[in-house]
Amino acid sequence: MGHPTSVLRFPLYIILWIFAALLLILTSVRLNYTLHLPRGDPLNGGSDFFDPIVAHLLVCSLLTLGTIPFVMHWVPPIITSAASANLFELAALSVIWLLWLVGCVVSTSIWPNLSFCYQFAACRILSAMMAFAWLGWIVLVVLIVLAVLAAVQKARPARSPLMVEWAASATSSRFELPRGEVV
């Protein structure tokens, strides 16, 4: 069996992909509803509109769905170095994490409590949209922690370009003092 971080990453990426797909569907439904309000709808006085944060969450879900195949190497890798691929994963997850965080926080500040309107489908869609946004963000946090653990893991290939002195074992690192003494 592989390293624990490798074993956990695959199911977490599948879960994130599912959450992103559900978020894409829910944000699309919300945008469709607000851009085509039925006559007599009390929301916004019956005038069509869209919530910018819903569009933001739609873009977040699209970026996540597009990034996961590259990070998991389901498409031919463009980065051949294992260390560079790990840094690419960490950078991609960090950017997506920040985007999801902004979407979650802003949507929660706009709709902090929707319990008063659960009888309306639009309200239930908003609640589900925010729930899956927060769940996706939590999965991203765990994936970032696993990516950091993998990045600082000492067991790297010998030809890894990012092999640095602090990651080497204690027996292989020798320091020379100015007088020629070896520590």
Side-chain angles (χ1 to χ4, degrees):
M1 225 163 162
H3 195 271
T5 59
S6 299
V7 173
L8 290 173
R9 282 177 56 234
F10 182 72
L12 285 172
Y13 273 113
I14 296 296
I15 291 169
L16 180 61
W17 195 90
I18 291 169
F19 288 166
L22 288 170
L23 186 63
L24 175 69
I25 292 167
L26 291 167
T27 54
S28 298
V29 168
R30 173 67 182 182
L31 284 173
N32 184 49
Y33 170 69
T34 57
L35 291 174
H36 303 95
L37 287 175
R39 290 197 184 273
D41 194 306
L43 185 63
N44 198 39
S47 300
D48 293 346
F49 71 101
F50 82 99
D51 299 308
I53 195 61
V54 176
H56 174 88
L57 286 171
L58 177 85
V59 170
C60 289
S61 63
L62 285 171
L63 287 174
T64 303
L65 291 171
T67 303
I68 289 174
F70 288 101
V71 171
M72 289 302 294
H73 303 293
W74 294 337
V75 294
I78 53 177
I79 299 173
T80 57
S81 166
S84 295
N86 194 300
L87 290 177
F88 170 74
E89 176 184 10
L90 190 55
L93 286 173
S94 298
V95 169
I96 291 172
W97 174 86
L98 182 64
L99 291 172
W100 278 62
L101 179 63
V102 168
C104 292
V105 168
V106 171
S107 64
T108 302
S109 70
I110 294 172
W111 305 292
N113 184 8
L114 295 171
S115 61
F116 68 93
C117 65
Y118 277 162
Q119 68 268 23
F120 302 110
C123 189
R124 291 190 300 269
I125 288 170
L126 273 177
S127 295
M129 181 186 74
M130 291 188 332
F132 282 109
W134 278 112
L135 288 171
W137 180 80
I138 291 169
V139 172
L140 280 166
V141 168
V142 175
L143 283 168
I144 287 175
V145 167
L146 293 176
V148 168
L149 289 175
V152 298
Q153 170 185 332
K154 288 187 179 184
R156 293 182 184 257
R159 288 178 275 160
S160 177
L162 291 180
M163 184 67 174
V164 292
E165 193 62 36
W166 57 265
S169 66
T171 57
S172 68
S173 61
R174 296 176 49 160
F175 297 99
E176 286 193 35
L177 296 175
R179 290 182 237 138
E181 298 172 12
V182 176
V183 178

